[in-house]
Amino acid sequence: MGVQEVLVLGDSDLLVHQIQGEWEIRDLKLIPYRQCLHDLCQQFQSIEFRHILRIHNEVADDLDTLASMLHHPDKAYVDPLHIQVNDLHAYCNMVEEELDGEPWFHDIKGYIRRGVYLVQATGDQKRTIRRLASGFFFSGGVLYKRTPDLGLLRCVDAK
């Protein structure tokens, strides 16, 4: 992909220091992995490893989830993922109070979390909830909707 410079952010202080050679690797099973990583590092002009506290790395779980959704055969070209962090809020499709007091995505959230439908749901409604749920996922207790361009929309209620 032509990448020359890499910044690796890791939430394990131990692994970051071991990879940089600052700390000793005592587990013999990890030594071949370190050697493999060292060989991979030779392919770049510049590579830097930094430790980031897990509390400040909230995007890591989202990236793991996103990576698990991308299926591609070996040697296939994968477009780079560009992430922008904006201080301004994005847009909202609809944030209105529902008559029953639950957010519009309540049925989907219940199905994804517990695998249950509303008691009064008909067969058609259950099928619709299953179909809609395929476009949503949980990360850190927050429900997100996937967009066709791999964007993520956070589902919020009126509160």
Side-chain angles (χ1 to χ4, degrees):
M1 293 175 54
V3 175
Q4 298 298 316
E5 297 178 358
V6 177
L7 171 61
V8 180
L9 301 174
D11 58 12
S12 170
D13 194 34
L14 173 66
L15 288 177
V16 169
H17 286 288
Q18 287 177 337
I19 295 304
Q20 291 176 332
E22 297 169 0
W23 294 356
E24 179 183 341
I25 297 178
R26 294 189 181 172
D27 188 346
L28 296 177
K29 294 181 287 193
L30 295 179
I31 293 174
Y33 291 107
R34 185 187 187 286
Q35 183 58 45
C36 178
L37 186 60
H38 184 270
D39 294 343
L40 286 172
C41 290
Q42 301 305 312
Q43 298 178 14
F44 302 102
Q45 288 179 356
S46 169
I47 187 162
E48 181 181 348
F49 294 88
R50 284 190 204 161
H51 175 250
I52 184 168
L53 296 175
R54 184 164 202 102
I55 196 164
H56 298 298
N57 198 11
E58 59 204 23
V59 113
D61 292 333
D62 297 335
L63 288 175
D64 289 341
T65 303
L66 186 60
S68 70
M69 294 186 307
L70 297 174
H71 300 286
H72 56 84
D74 288 341
K75 298 183 181 179
Y77 177 78
V78 179
D79 290 325
L81 179 65
H82 299 282
I83 300 173
Q84 293 178 336
V85 178
N86 296 324
D87 291 332
L88 302 174
H89 295 289
Y91 61 91
C92 296
N93 280 344
M94 184 172 103
V95 182
E96 295 177 3
E97 196 92 32
E98 293 289 329
L99 297 176
D100 62 359
E102 298 293 345
W104 64 269
F105 52 86
H106 175 71
D107 301 344
I108 298 167
K109 189 175 184 178
Y111 176 74
I112 293 173
R113 215 180 230 174
R114 297 181 300 279
V116 297
Y117 303 100
L118 293 177
V119 177
Q120 69 273 18
T122 66
D124 286 343
Q125 290 169 332
K126 290 178 182 180
R127 186 172 53 251
T128 300
I129 290 172
R130 282 193 307 271
R131 183 180 53 79
L132 289 172
S134 67
F136 291 80
F137 71 93
F138 268 108
S139 178
V142 177
L143 185 66
Y144 291 92
K145 182 181 186 337
R146 296 181 196 102
T147 62
D149 63 347
L150 292 180
L152 301 176
L153 300 176
R154 183 176 182 164
C155 296
V156 297
D157 57 11
K159 296 175 194 166

